[in-house]
Amino acid sequence: MRIHSFNSVANAYSTKVASRRYSQFLTLVHELHLNGDEQVLDIGSGPGELSFQIANNLNAGGFLHGIDLSESMVKLARKNAKSVGRDNLSFNSGDALNLSFDDNTFDVIVSSNAFPWVPDRAQFLREVYRVLKPGGRFGLVALSNNCYKEFTLAFKKSSQLRPDLFGTGRPF
């Protein structure tokens, strides 16, 4: 699956996948030990659920920048930010392999469930550490490479056993 394919499933992803990952997001936020005034980058921010949890822990001195390769995800994150009234964050298009930020910009960088889709993980990590301030924190939530294949197989088995649970016949 190519990253750009998330453009066509952004809304469904937001309601059926990302919204069910709050426990992961809250655990990551807890582990970051935020003091509130950090400059934070969320790589692969998707519809913004993790970003909103982090922004809730930032004060007037803190700000979160969310980037995603999918234009549809960026639009959805912006819409979601307006609906929850957050003004200490922004969402823009961005490529994790070529970040458009200066060296040593961020106190904290997070990425949740984007890592399996990154085609060059070494370059991804080089970019993370380039824009991360010395002593900064990097929080990564990454499922296994095989997880989506496993989810698809589990979905097929579940839909065969209980076709009434899934009206579309597709995970999204």
Side-chain angles (χ1 to χ4, degrees):
M1 177 181 243
R2 291 182 31 223
I3 289 288
H4 295 291
S5 67
F6 278 95
N7 285 328
S8 64
V9 297
N11 288 320
Y13 178 86
S14 179
T15 58
K16 296 185 180 194
V17 179
S19 64
R20 300 204 178 16
R21 292 187 170 151
Y22 284 122
S23 61
Q24 287 178 337
F25 300 155
L26 293 176
T27 300
L28 179 56
V29 171
H30 173 75
E31 293 295 322
L32 291 172
H33 302 289
L34 298 169
N35 62 31
D37 62 355
E38 291 93 349
Q39 294 299 304
V40 181
L41 174 63
D42 183 357
I43 300 173
S45 55
E49 279 86 354
L50 173 58
S51 299
F52 302 139
Q53 296 303 319
I54 292 172
N56 287 337
N57 289 275
L58 299 176
N59 58 37
F63 197 86
L64 183 135
H65 302 266
I67 63 164
D68 202 289
L69 199 56
S70 166
E71 288 286 341
S72 295
M73 288 291 192
V74 171
K75 288 177 186 174
L76 184 57
R78 288 175 179 164
K79 177 183 168 191
N80 291 341
K82 283 183 184 177
S83 71
V84 297
R86 303 288 337 165
D87 61 358
N88 60 344
L89 56 105
S90 69
F91 295 97
N92 292 291
S93 296
D95 183 352
L97 301 181
N98 187 23
L99 296 172
S100 62
F101 301 100
D102 291 335
D103 294 359
N104 306 318
T105 299
F106 296 99
D107 303 293
V108 176
I109 297 177
V110 297
S111 183
S112 177
N113 299 306
F115 199 65
W117 304 107
V118 174
D120 185 343
R121 293 179 182 157
Q123 178 61 23
F124 172 86
L125 293 173
R126 280 191 293 275
E127 281 294 282
V128 164
Y129 288 108
R130 179 184 66 77
V131 301
L132 187 65
K133 290 179 182 177
R137 297 177 305 277
F138 175 43
L140 177 69
V141 175
L143 301 172
S144 74
N145 286 342
N146 293 326
C147 72
Y148 292 98
K149 183 168 80 172
E150 293 166 6
F151 289 155
T152 300
L153 291 174
F155 174 80
K156 285 180 182 177
K157 288 179 183 179
S158 298
S159 64
Q160 288 170 351
L161 294 172
R162 292 286 311 273
D164 57 307
L165 294 178
F166 307 101
T168 65
R170 298 176 46 214
F172 289 119

